[in-house]
């Protein structure tokens, strides 16, 4: 296969990331694991990268216990001091950015630029969290009673469970763990079974920083196991909050289990994101955004562009430009800088891709380009496909469902109201965009009768959210918010405190009770 050998790259970076051929998948201040061995193969060519000894449910509970103990000490550390630890972690990430980025590529198949970009996202959230550590502010509220002061304050919450997906194996953990750490919480991370090595590398780095700072490394605990480990984490009453990223089906199970025990849930689930292209749009800009949104990470992003809603007057013109652009996409070894799209994560993803294309054809969809598995020598051993563009109708079941693969369904519209209705007429509500040169259309799209998604963009695509804004969506996307803005409040508990500094005991609402 053209491009660097995955085995050779792994041999170069493993020593620098403190990875070995055999790795323990649990950490609570010490490394452990007595569960089944997990063999990690790269989706690039099927090469075995390493083995990981997974943890059992009992060992997951052990990690929670260690995290709870670490939390009790960590919550007493002043927030700016907690921020200093996160700042130093961000500096360590800067030093290891290239190696960790290539490890992301080896495990997920995303191109090197995206792998390093994901590590940069970790660095950015560490910077954000460091500044935030001096701004965890509450409110002073006027009391109706004389000689009283009322205030709203925020305290550390407890142990935070983090369940992450394969497609962003390190960034989503950092979104949660960096904020949780400065908020005074300890975390237990259950990574995807498809990406255990990046998790181990990140926690090893955190372990080193914690020891240098004199903090308990169990602040960043790890439980790399199967579904049973995740279920154990969700069921454990010592875990105050579970942040789960994944499918809507998974999120529904997590949410129901947490609701049963009155635990908190932060859910970031499926997306079925659309771009509207209006007659006044800059088509050159639109094609570039659509291409990255639909093809980036081989369509394996929750913010991937899955539907394209084009005004009928420019439908033919835009689809011709877009299919021409698709045919120029270099698909192959993601370690090669010339590659724009790597493989799907595994055979299951390949089957889901093929099934969705077949279902769209059965509905009557016209495949404009792509939709096939690539089987040349250059793609041997991996799960490579040609990204598909399919004329479709929004109401079809296959369009309503999120397929985690590079399939773009295109449809036309006549009026803006019709386009917005199509955008909103899916169960998910994560990201959305419109390309228009009309200011009124732009304002309507981001206004109260516009997009119903958590993210609404104008003249940029559905992918590539900045960490400064809260990330998440509505409806079956789960309603959670991570990363920027005031997302930090999810990791803390709110307390209203009233202090009586008078010598009287006036009751609220002017109530008189006895003499």
């Amino acid at each position: 296969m053209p491009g660097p050998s995955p085995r050779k790259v792994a041999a170069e970076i493993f020593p620098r990331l403190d990875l070995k051929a055999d790795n323990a998948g649990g950490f609570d201040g010490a490394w452990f694991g007595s569960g089944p061995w997990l063999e990690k193969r790269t989706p690039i060519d099927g090469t075995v990268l390493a083995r990981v000894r997974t943890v059992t449910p009992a060992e997951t509970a052990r990690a929670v216990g260690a995290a709870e103990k670490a939390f009790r000490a960590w919550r007493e550390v002043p927030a700016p001091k907690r921020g200093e630890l996160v700042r130093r972690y961000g500096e360590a990430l800067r030093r290891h950015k290239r190696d960790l980025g290539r490890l992301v590529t080896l495990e997920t198949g995303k191109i090197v630029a995206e792998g390093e970009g994901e590590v940069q996202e970790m660095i950015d959230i560490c910077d954000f969290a460091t500044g935030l550590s001096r701004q965890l502010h509450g409110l002073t509220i006027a009391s109706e009673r004389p000689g009283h002061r009322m205030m709203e304050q925020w305290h550390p919450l407890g142990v935070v469970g983090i369940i992450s997906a394969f497609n962003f194996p390190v960034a989503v953990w950092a979104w949660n763990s960096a904020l949780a750490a400065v908020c005074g919480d300890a975390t237990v991370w259950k990574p995807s079974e498809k990406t255990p090595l990046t998790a181990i590398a990140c926690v090893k780095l955190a372990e080193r920083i914690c020891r240098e700072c004199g903090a308990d490394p169990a602040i960043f605990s790890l439980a790399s196991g199967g579904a049973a480990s995740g279920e154990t984490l969700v069921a454990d009453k010592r875990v105050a909050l579970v942040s789960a990223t994944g499918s809507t089906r998974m999120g529904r199970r997590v949410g129901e289990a947490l609701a049963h025990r009155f635990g908190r849930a932060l859910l970031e689930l499926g997306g079925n994101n659309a771009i509207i292209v209006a007659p006044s749009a800059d088509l050159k800009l639109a094609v570039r955004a659509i291409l990255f949104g639909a093809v980036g990470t081989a369509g394996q992003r929750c913010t991937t562009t899955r539907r394209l809603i084009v005004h009928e007057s420019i439908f033919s013109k835009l689809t011709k430009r877009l299919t021409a652009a698709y045919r120029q996409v270099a698909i192959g070894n993601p370690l090669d800088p010339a590659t724009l799209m790597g493989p799907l994560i595994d055979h299951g993803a390949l089957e889901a891709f093929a099934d969705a294309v077949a279902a769209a054809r059965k509905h009557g969809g016209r495949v404009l380009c792509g939709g096939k598995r690539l089987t040349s020598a250059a793609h041997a051993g991996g799960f490579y496909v040609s990204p598909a563009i399919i004329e479709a109708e929004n109401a079809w079941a296959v369009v309503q469902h999120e397929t985690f693969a590079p399939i773009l369904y295109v449809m036309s519209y006549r009026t803006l109201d019709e386009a917005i209705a199509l955008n909103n007429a899916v169960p998910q509500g994560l990201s959305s965009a419109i390309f228009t040169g009309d200011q009124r259309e732009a304002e309507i799209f981001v206004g109260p009768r516009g997009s119903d998604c958590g993210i609404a963009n104008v003249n940029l695509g559905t992918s590539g959210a900045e960490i400064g804004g809260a990330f998440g969506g509505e409806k079956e996307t789960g309603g959670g918010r991570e990363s920027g803005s005031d997302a930090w409040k999810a990791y803390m508990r709110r307390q209203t405190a009233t202090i009586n500094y008078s010598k009287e005991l006036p009751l609220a609402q002017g109530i008189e009770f006895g003499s």
Side-chain angles (χ1 to χ4, degrees):
M1 173 178 286
S5 159
R7 189 185 296 276
K8 182 178 179 180
V9 171
E12 291 174 356
I13 66 176
F14 274 21
R16 293 195 290 267
L17 294 173
D18 197 17
L19 293 172
K20 302 175 178 65
D22 293 336
N23 301 270
F27 179 74
D28 64 353
W31 290 91
F32 61 87
S34 64
W37 284 99
L38 175 65
E39 191 175 68
K40 173 56 192 178
R41 293 178 179 270
T42 176
I44 298 173
D45 64 0
T47 298
V48 176
L49 297 176
R51 298 195 309 163
V52 175
R53 192 67 181 265
T54 59
V55 300
T56 64
E59 288 170 331
T60 300
R62 165 185 161 178
V64 172
E68 184 184 39
K69 180 181 177 182
F71 160 71
R72 296 190 183 282
W74 186 238
R75 65 183 174 181
E76 298 289 342
V77 176
K81 295 293 185 182
R82 302 192 296 249
E84 172 61 12
L85 184 147
V86 172
R87 184 193 69 79
R88 291 181 62 172
Y89 186 70
E91 290 301 314
L93 288 172
R94 284 180 168 89
R95 293 192 297 272
H96 292 278
K97 177 180 175 179
R98 185 169 184 269
D99 284 341
L100 191 52
R102 288 195 292 169
L103 181 60
V104 170
T105 294
L106 287 174
E107 280 215 290
T108 67
K110 64 172 62 175
I111 62 174
V112 170
E114 289 188 90
E116 290 192 15
E118 185 172 348
V119 181
Q120 184 61 49
E121 202 163 329
M122 299 176 75
I123 294 167
D124 292 344
I125 197 64
C126 286
D127 288 349
F128 180 90
T130 300
L132 181 66
S133 68
R134 294 181 181 271
Q135 300 179 69
L136 299 173
H137 52 75
L139 298 170
T140 299
I141 304 167
S143 173
E144 66 183 46
R145 292 171 284 188
H148 285 59
R149 180 166 67 88
M150 185 162 57
M151 58 184 177
E152 181 180 272
Q153 53 191 359
W154 297 86
H155 293 307
L157 179 63
V159 177
V160 175
I162 303 170
I163 300 174
S164 61
F166 77 86
N167 59 328
F168 280 87
V170 295
V172 171
W173 171 73
W175 285 1
N176 286 276
S177 62
L179 293 189
V182 299
C183 288
D185 301 330
T187 59
V188 180
W189 182 12
K190 193 278 180 194
S192 169
E193 296 167 79
K194 300 175 184 180
T195 53
L197 299 177
T198 46
I200 293 168
C202 287
V203 174
K204 281 183 176 288
L205 201 57
E207 176 190 10
R208 187 159 74 242
I209 298 301
C210 285
R211 295 197 190 283
E212 290 173 1
C213 293
D216 188 337
I219 295 164
F220 301 104
S221 292
L222 178 68
S224 186
S229 290
E231 290 167 0
T232 300
L233 196 63
V234 171
D236 197 316
K237 292 183 178 180
R238 295 172 295 177
V239 180
L241 167 70
V242 174
S243 175
T245 303
S247 68
T248 296
R249 181 173 58 85
M250 179 275 289
R252 183 171 285 110
R253 288 169 54 197
V254 169
E256 289 173 353
L258 288 168
H260 182 73
R261 67 171 178 87
F262 297 102
R264 291 195 197 179
L266 196 167
L267 302 177
E268 198 281 284
L269 311 174
N272 198 343
N273 317 294
I275 292 179
I276 297 170
V277 184
S280 58
D282 180 332
L283 294 190
K284 183 178 179 181
L285 200 67
V287 167
R288 186 175 176 84
I290 296 162
L291 186 67
F292 174 69
V295 172
T297 323
Q300 298 171 121
R301 288 176 175 238
C302 52
T303 55
T304 290
T305 305
R306 308 206 179 279
R307 296 175 297 136
L308 184 61
I309 304 166
V310 186
H311 192 269
E312 60 183 9
S313 65
I314 57 170
F315 185 87
S316 177
K317 183 178 182 180
L318 178 61
T319 52
K320 285 180 181 178
R321 288 195 187 186
L322 195 57
T323 52
Y326 263 54
R327 292 190 178 105
Q328 296 175 24
V329 173
I331 304 167
N333 186 344
L335 292 165
D336 184 343
T339 298
L340 290 181
M341 190 181 111
L344 294 173
I345 188 66
D346 56 21
H347 191 265
L350 185 69
E351 288 184 329
F353 173 81
D355 290 347
V357 172
R361 288 183 187 275
K362 188 174 181 180
H363 276 298
R366 186 165 72 97
V367 179
L368 302 182
C369 70
K372 298 178 180 179
R373 182 176 187 179
L374 302 179
T375 56
S376 71
H379 305 104
F383 306 104
Y384 296 88
V385 299
S386 55
I389 302 175
I390 304 175
E391 280 192 46
E393 293 183 15
N394 200 64
W396 292 351
V398 69
V399 178
Q400 292 284 307
H401 174 74
E402 179 194 39
T403 301
F404 229 51
I407 301 174
L408 180 66
Y409 301 109
V410 296
M411 58 204 74
S412 63
Y413 77 93
R414 291 184 178 181
T415 68
L416 181 63
D417 285 345
E418 180 188 354
I420 291 173
L422 288 170
N423 176 83
N424 296 349
V426 290
Q428 310 84 356
L430 179 53
S431 189
S432 59
I434 187 171
F435 279 81
T436 179
D438 186 321
Q439 184 67 23
R440 181 177 288 115
E441 286 188 329
E443 294 291 346
I444 290 172
F445 182 74
V446 301
R449 68 180 178 96
S451 170
D452 65 358
C453 297
I455 299 169
N457 296 329
V458 176
N459 293 330
L460 68 157
T462 59
S463 288
E466 297 182 35
I467 61 95
F471 181 89
E474 303 300 323
K475 302 187 295 188
E476 289 191 2
T477 301
R481 292 297 186 274
E482 297 171 309
S483 191
S485 184
D486 66 348
W488 61 270
K489 293 180 178 179
Y491 306 90
M492 305 197 82
R493 61 180 177 88
R494 188 196 311 246
Q495 182 181 79
T496 301
T498 305
I499 299 172
N500 178 7
Y501 58 89
S502 75
K503 294 185 178 181
E504 306 295 331
L505 191 64
L507 300 178
Q509 292 85 45
I511 294 173
E512 295 287 343
F513 188 79
S515 58

